[in-house]
Amino acid sequence: MSTPKKTARRLERNPRLRTLAKAGYAATGVVHVMLGGIVLAVAFGADGDADQSGAFQALAASPAGLVALWAVALALLALALWHAVAAFAGAGEKSSWSRRLSEAGQAVAFAALGTIAISVAVGGRSDGDASVKQTSSGVLSIPGGPFILGAVGVGVLVAGIAFGVIGVRRGFRKELSVPVGTMGTLVVTLGVVGYVAKGVSLATVGVLLGVAAVRVDPQEAGGLDGAVRSLLALPAGPVIAIAVGGGLIAYGLFCLFRARYARL
């Protein structure tokens, strides 16, 4: 076994890194609870950015918010490191490639989320929808751009479907030491509702990217805020958006429990 792999294995077993990773799950929970609250507010007609940057800005505006935001950012980066170590430590073993790709994907996602949090903490204002449109415009301007953007959209759509399937099948249970009794039932219920809601939001983002690719129009693309606005434009859209907002809060609460019961 190579020395780098041995180092990854040692890091994976390091109790301090495990503690920081659990703090990352708690931070993810806080972000999603706030995000779900913003989605609910927007569904009822309020203004606001219904995406992660909006949640970070709301956190920064709260009492002692800047300190809390830095703590959340560092915890998210620690969780990204944990997933990266888990992906690398499994290289060359019998564990499936899909598992390692999942770990690597989560590392990238949490690192991006932590970076957005840091950007807001240092005074930047990140507009998630504008960033997605700008990136989509750049992709569409290169040879084969529509196909690349379409592939990304399909990937995000598949990720959303995967979240929904995990929720319905309760696949998240294998990642937890689920407590018995009423507490276990609560944790599993929050997981089911939360994963399905997260899946719906991701799938909608994937559809928006796909539409932008087909129409070769970056203005059709959008992040989570754009997804929420698109849902609101549908028949019974406010009801769907309210369900998604409530589901994201459920997902956030599930992540808080995951910080306590995660198998690391």
Side-chain angles (χ1 to χ4, degrees):
M1 184 181 294
S2 65
T3 299
K5 196 180 298 180
K6 287 182 178 179
T7 301
R9 288 291 178 83
R10 285 197 298 270
L11 283 172
E12 193 176 27
R13 295 191 295 266
N14 187 293
R16 292 180 180 176
L17 183 56
R18 291 183 178 217
T19 298
L20 288 172
K22 289 189 174 186
Y25 284 125
T28 303
V30 170
V31 172
H32 279 83
V33 168
M34 298 191 73
L35 179 57
I38 294 172
V39 172
L40 286 176
V42 170
F44 282 107
D47 292 327
D49 295 327
D51 55 19
Q52 291 87 346
S53 61
F56 289 136
Q57 290 161 12
L59 179 60
S62 65
L66 192 58
V67 174
L69 183 55
W70 274 107
V72 164
L74 295 176
L76 290 169
L77 292 177
L79 184 54
L81 175 61
W82 164 263
H83 283 293
V85 166
F88 190 80
E93 302 300 324
K94 292 182 179 180
S95 56
S96 67
W97 275 104
S98 61
R99 173 69 178 179
R100 294 197 294 275
L101 286 173
S102 173
E103 294 288 356
Q106 290 181 78
V108 172
F110 285 117
L113 201 55
T115 301
I116 294 173
I118 290 175
S119 174
V120 174
V122 298
R125 285 190 63 86
S126 176
D127 187 329
D129 254 28
S131 297
V132 171
K133 285 179 170 60
Q134 183 177 5
T135 302
S136 298
S137 178
V139 172
L140 290 172
S141 67
I142 64 176
F147 295 100
I148 296 173
L149 186 62
V152 172
V154 170
V156 175
L157 175 61
V158 170
I161 293 172
F163 261 87
V165 171
I166 290 172
V168 172
R169 293 186 175 179
R170 296 167 172 77
F172 54 83
R173 288 175 60 96
K174 61 186 178 183
E175 306 290 343
L176 305 173
S177 296
V178 180
V180 298
T182 304
M183 182 60 71
T185 301
L186 174 61
V187 171
V188 171
T189 301
L190 288 172
V192 171
V193 174
Y195 267 86
V196 171
K198 181 82 171 176
V200 170
S201 61
L202 283 174
T204 307
V205 172
V207 169
L208 290 178
L209 292 174
V211 171
V214 171
R215 296 183 178 177
V216 197
D217 182 0
Q219 295 305 311
E220 297 285 351
L224 182 57
D225 185 66
V228 172
R229 309 290 175 179
S230 296
L231 289 174
L232 286 172
L234 297 174
V239 175
I240 299 173
I242 289 169
V244 170
L248 290 174
I249 292 175
Y251 183 77
L253 294 174
F254 168 79
C255 288
L256 292 173
F257 281 114
R258 187 174 185 179
R260 169 67 177 82
Y261 298 114
R263 291 177 180 170
L264 298 178

